Amino acid sequence: IHKLIASGFLVLIITGISCKRYLDVPPTGVLSNSVLATKGGVDGLLIGAYAMLRGYNPAVSNSGIRQWTQAASNWVYGSVVADEAHKGSVSYDQPEIASMESYNTNPVNQYLDDKWISLYAGVQRANDVLNEIPLVKDGSLSESYAKEVTAETRFLRGFFHLEAAKMFRNVPYVDESVTYSAVHGNISNSTP
């Protein structure tokens, strides 16, 4: 039995050593901080944060791009719900909007989920810009431009948080210091 246990450990050690080189493969199609740590990289991240104003986020587009559920125009959550506009068509066409229009929304309304995900994707993109700025060491980012980008990015992040608070009231405030490894996804939302 001891020989069986010893050979089992030997197989595990050999397997672990041989698999390590196959498991430690850097991801493809991902930009590292060293690539983004330039003025162009920061500008690209900032453009990505601005792009969330139109609401497109592929992570929430299960059945195509549904920008009207996410965009900053808020025509569903503002105009339709306020009776300033009517969804039109028949009741079974986009029933999520019809339920909001009649103040009969339930918690599984996909439009609300889409909006939440889109807003916090915008917050994350803004935080990515703020985290990248101090990493630019090549001299391509002047101090005045860094301040300008920081101000724009904080405004965008504030806009996304305000939109979330308008719709959902008590929402977590996520700034650039929040990382999953630091808080494990537990962020308080106890204050409006």
Side-chain angles (χ1 to χ4, degrees):
I1 193 147
H2 294 289
K3 290 182 181 180
L4 183 62
I5 292 174
S7 61
F9 277 123
L10 184 62
V11 168
L12 283 175
I13 290 171
I14 292 171
T15 304
I17 291 171
S18 64
C19 288
K20 183 170 175 31
R21 66 181 175 157
Y22 295 109
L23 296 176
D24 290 338
V25 177
T28 56
V30 176
L31 294 175
S32 67
N33 283 338
S34 62
V35 172
L36 293 172
T38 63
K39 182 182 182 295
V42 170
D43 285 344
L45 289 172
L46 182 60
I47 289 168
Y50 271 109
M52 291 309 297
L53 291 173
R54 72 178 252 240
Y56 172 68
N57 182 3
V60 296
S61 298
N62 301 336
S63 59
I65 300 170
R66 300 185 317 196
Q67 291 179 344
W68 59 87
T69 67
Q70 309 161 33
S73 64
N74 283 334
W75 76 270
V76 172
Y77 314 105
S79 297
V80 173
V81 173
D83 265 348
E84 183 179 282
H86 179 61
K87 176 193 77 68
S89 187
V90 292
S91 61
Y92 54 83
D93 176 31
Q94 299 183 49
E96 295 93 345
I97 297 176
S99 72
M100 284 188 271
E101 187 174 26
S102 63
Y103 297 101
N104 193 21
T105 304
N106 60 35
V108 295
N109 187 320
Q110 187 63 46
Y111 280 40
L112 298 174
D113 189 43
D114 288 357
K115 185 67 173 180
W116 176 273
I117 292 170
S118 180
L119 290 171
Y120 277 96
V123 168
Q124 180 60 51
R125 288 185 184 193
N127 287 337
D128 288 344
V129 175
L130 294 172
N131 284 327
E132 196 64 37
I133 290 172
L135 301 177
V136 178
K137 305 286 188 203
D138 66 356
S140 63
L141 196 64
S142 69
E143 186 178 333
S144 63
Y145 188 70
K147 286 181 182 179
E148 179 184 330
V149 169
T150 300
E152 286 181 48
T153 305
R154 287 185 177 157
F155 178 84
L156 279 173
R157 183 179 64 195
F159 174 81
F160 293 127
H161 276 121
L162 176 64
E163 285 291 301
K166 286 185 341 187
M167 289 194 61
F168 304 104
R169 187 168 155 82
N170 292 351
V171 295
Y173 176 76
V174 181
D175 67 6
E176 67 272 16
S177 67
V178 174
T179 63
Y180 180 77
S181 59
V183 297
H184 304 293
N186 297 320
I187 304 167
S188 172
N189 67 337
S190 60
T191 58

